[in-house]
């Protein structure tokens, strides 16, 4: 997103947001930058030779200030306010000079004539890499259609893997833009706020940057649900005096008791919970504001881990603990490395309050997240923070990167992203005592696949806490899970009905596809051959354009592509269209039909859309004709006519195998007339389809609902079931045209229970 479209608040540099300690920076030069500028002379050496931190930072500021001169934001303020604010946040997080410089320069490439090569020449490769990464992220649209959204996620995670600081710069950019959102149109505000809440706030949470996460959520809440935001804001303000009095009393009691037993305490303070957190609790528990008592918390910061548990004992001794409200995130850290003790107690007056206890280091990690873990490469003085195999902080990111090559379906990949970014985690143990983080409501099968794919594939049973359980049992925090395996064990498609994690679902489907690989390859070949024709088909499969199509669709080989096509992972249209594009580029010709193999038939004669005709087929006026049952053509598909002995002209889809050996003198060029738009019911044409689904109650009704939503009539339906295998639904439906058929088929394929959908012809 181009930051120029945003506006800036005219806030004093010392002004604080109500829910954060990050200073909001106005157009005045902040003190830290002024100190840097005062520490260097304008007559210093050339930028390329600068070695000190302040020198690089100052040069970046002056360069950005000069290039953005004359540019303004929506509020009318100088545009330089935005880069200064972003750089200030990055410095606040502890970023090094290259990172702060990138904050000044992050909009330069988009908004000025300066190139990335210019930035590298002036500021070095490290700054160039950060600016380039942020510039690419700014072009991603996460609210687009599923396939494009998934591709943008893939690219974003790849950029993060190369250098995690790229997304931190982007988060600072987004936070300042969210702070300065009010001058945009309501539609634009809602769009940006929705993307922030769904994408960037969860990313800040995963990176452990609590201060960014809370403010991003509150600002999104403000613009997405303004009435609820104002209501909670007013209610919190009304209770402020009572709350502050209660917090002061609790903190005083805890501070005195900690001093008496000699626990070194750096801070005992009260704070209100952020507004969106209160709102979420009200929604989750279906309670009113007056029923949510713990809207504030007391934080105790001590010296050592042992002191944390001693302070916990003091809190429980001073106040009555609430059963079930104790959480030990020190022994079991969150995936973003957050560590703290949380406990709920009843304060004087009978009101609940949360107490959080942590060390200084834990507090630093909770506030700054990944910024508290910067690792610098020793070679060359570079400070790229890359995702390494032994770094537990990035397990979730490595997993998403690994799945990029496995998950071809955009919706499946987005589901895995959701699992890793948004869902709440539980913690269970292996029999050896290792901790495994899983999605809430995960099952032993999810656990098995998290340990290893082969353990999941051969899983036959499970013990939880020493007792045998069914494989669909829900795991809880602290469970000890043991998986039983057998060599001849294999996944059941029924598992897809209850597993929770995307990784388990993906691996179950992968096993099924591999076990039916030959069948899927044959089906894919058949589909592609019918579309392109037999002439030269084998040589086409071995051609460079075909291999390029496979790679473009994220398959290693053409055989893998055919298997994916046969299984239904991708559509025939995608393969054919990309193949035609590839051939056109390679041969540098305009008419791809000259080199793509097509049946030995005459080309269909185009008919102008304005041509009046009572018959849907142009080219058979006055003649008897019928639609061939072998390929059941529908409007929008290229067709060809064949003169028969007794049944007039038979209309086939071009590429139908029954047209391959027909002599040319029996072929008739035909095409579809434009549909009559002058009222009346549109013509429909029968199409037979077969849907492979998981055998469960109600799946046929769900399929029929999708057909109804798309105004598709069902002529006949039958269901075949087989013990332990998928069910087959055979349907004959009335279709108006190719677009309606493809749209309906795509919606049905997206159903979680649908494994495959294919169009049937006579004889198959």
């Amino acid at each position: 997103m181009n930051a120029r479209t945003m506006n800036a608040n005219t806030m004093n540099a010392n002004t604080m947001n109500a829910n954060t300690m990050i200073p909001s920076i106005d157009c005045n030069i902040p003190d830290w930058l002024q100190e840097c500028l005062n520490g260097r002379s304008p007559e210093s050496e050339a930028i390329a030779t600068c070695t000190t931190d302040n020198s690089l930072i100052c040069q970046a500021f002056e360069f950005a200030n000069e290039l953005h001169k004359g540019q303004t934001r929506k509020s009318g303020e100088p545009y330089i306010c935005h880069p200064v604010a972003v750089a200030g946040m990055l410095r606040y997080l502890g970023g090094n000079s290259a990172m702060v410089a990138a904050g000044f320069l992050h909009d330069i490439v988009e908004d000025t004539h300066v190139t990335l090569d210019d930035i590298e020449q002036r500021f070095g490769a490290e700054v160039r890499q950060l600016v380039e990464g942020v510039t690419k992220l700014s072009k991603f649209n996460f609210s687009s259609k599923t396939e494009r959204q998934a591709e943008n996620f893939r690219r974003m995670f790849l950029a993060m893997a190369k250098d995690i600081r790229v997304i931190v710069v982007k988060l600072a950019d987004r936070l300042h833009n969210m702070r300065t959102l009010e001058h945009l149109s309501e539609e634009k505000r809602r769009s940006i706020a929705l993307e922030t809440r769904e994408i960037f706030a969860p990313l800040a949470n995963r990176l452990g940057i609590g201060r960014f996460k809370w403010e991003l959520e509150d600002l999104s809440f403000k613009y997405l649900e303004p009435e609820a935001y104002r209501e909670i804001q007013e209610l919190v303000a009304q209770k402020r005096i009572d709350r502050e009095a209660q917090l002061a009393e609790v903190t005083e009691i805890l501070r005195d008791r900690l001093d008496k037993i000699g626990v070194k305490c750096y801070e005992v303070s009260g704070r209100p919970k952020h507004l969106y957190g209160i709102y979420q609790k009200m929604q989750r528990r279906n309670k009113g504001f007056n029923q949510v008592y713990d809207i504030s918390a007391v934080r105790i910061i001590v010296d050592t881990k042992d002191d944390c548990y001693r302070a916990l004992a003091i809190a429980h001794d001073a106040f009555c603990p609430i059963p079930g409200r104790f959480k030990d995130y020190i022994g079991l850290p969150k995936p973003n490395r957050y560590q703290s003790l949380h406990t709920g107690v009843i304060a004087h007056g009978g009101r609940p309050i949360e107490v959080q206890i942590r060390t200084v280091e834990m507090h630093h990690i909770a506030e700054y997240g990944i910024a508290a873990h910067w690792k610098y490469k020793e070679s060359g003085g570079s400070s790229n923070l890359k995702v390494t195999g032994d770094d537990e902080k990035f397990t979730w990111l490595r997993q998403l990167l690994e799945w990029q090559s496995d998950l071809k379906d955009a919706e499946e990949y987005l589901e895995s992203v959701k699992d890793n970014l948004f869902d709440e985690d539980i913690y269970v143990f292996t029999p050896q005592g290792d901790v495994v983080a899983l999605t809430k409501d995960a099952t032993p099968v999810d656990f098995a696949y998290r340990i290893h794919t082969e353990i999941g594939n051969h899983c036959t049973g499970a013990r939880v806490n020493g007792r045998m359980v069914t494989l669909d049992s829900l795991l809880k925090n602290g469970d000890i899970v043991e998986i039983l395996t057998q060599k001849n064990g294999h996944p059941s498609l029924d598992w897809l009905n209850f597993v929770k994690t995307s990784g388990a679902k993906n691996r179950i489907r992968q096993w099924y596809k591999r076990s039916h690989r030959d069948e899927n390859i044959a089906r894919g070949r058949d589909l592609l051959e019918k579309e392109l024709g037999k002439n030269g088909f084998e040589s086409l499969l071995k051609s460079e354009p075909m291999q390029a199509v496979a790679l473009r669709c994220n398959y290693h080989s053409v055989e893998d592509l055919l298997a994916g096509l046969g299984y239904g992972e991708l559509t025939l249209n995608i393969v054919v269209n990309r193949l035609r594009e590839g051939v056109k580029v390679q041969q540098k010709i305009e008419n791809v039909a000259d080199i793509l193999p097509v049946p030995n038939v005459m080309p269909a004669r185009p008919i102008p859309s304005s041509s009046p005709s009572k018959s849907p087929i142009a080219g058979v006026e006055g003649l008897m004709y019928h639609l061939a049952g072998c390929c059941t053509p529908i409007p929008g598909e290229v067709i060809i006519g064949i003169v028969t002995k007794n049944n007039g002209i038979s209309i086939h889809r071009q590429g139908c195998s029954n047209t391959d050996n027909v002599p040319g003198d029996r072929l008739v060029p035909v095409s579809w007339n434009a549909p009559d738009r002058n009222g009346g019911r549109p013509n429909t044409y029968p199409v037979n389809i077969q849907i492979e689904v998981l055998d469960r109650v109600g799946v046929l009704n769900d399929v029929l609902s999708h057909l109804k939503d798309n105004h598709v009539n069902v002529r006949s339906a039958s269901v075949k079931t087989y013990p332990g295998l998928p069910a087959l639904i055979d349907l004959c439906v009335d279709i108006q045209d190719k677009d309606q058929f493809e749209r309906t088929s795509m919606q049905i394929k997206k159903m979680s229970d649908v494994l495959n959908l294919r169009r049937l012809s006579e004889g198959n």
Side-chain angles (χ1 to χ4, degrees), residues 553 555 561 563-572 574-575 578 749:
C553 293
Y555 292 94
L561 176 72
L565 181 60
Y567 178 69
E569 266 185 338
L570 73 168
T571 65
L572 185 61
I574 289 177
V575 177
R578 290 183 176 178
K749 285 180 179 180

Side-chain angles (χ1 to χ4, degrees), residues 290-308:
N290 291 329
Q291 296 173 290
V292 180
Y293 297 109
D294 53 340
I295 63 171
S296 56
V298 171
R299 180 177 296 153
I300 302 174
I301 301 178
V302 294
D303 193 31
T304 66
K305 186 186 296 185
D306 289 343
D307 287 342
C308 289

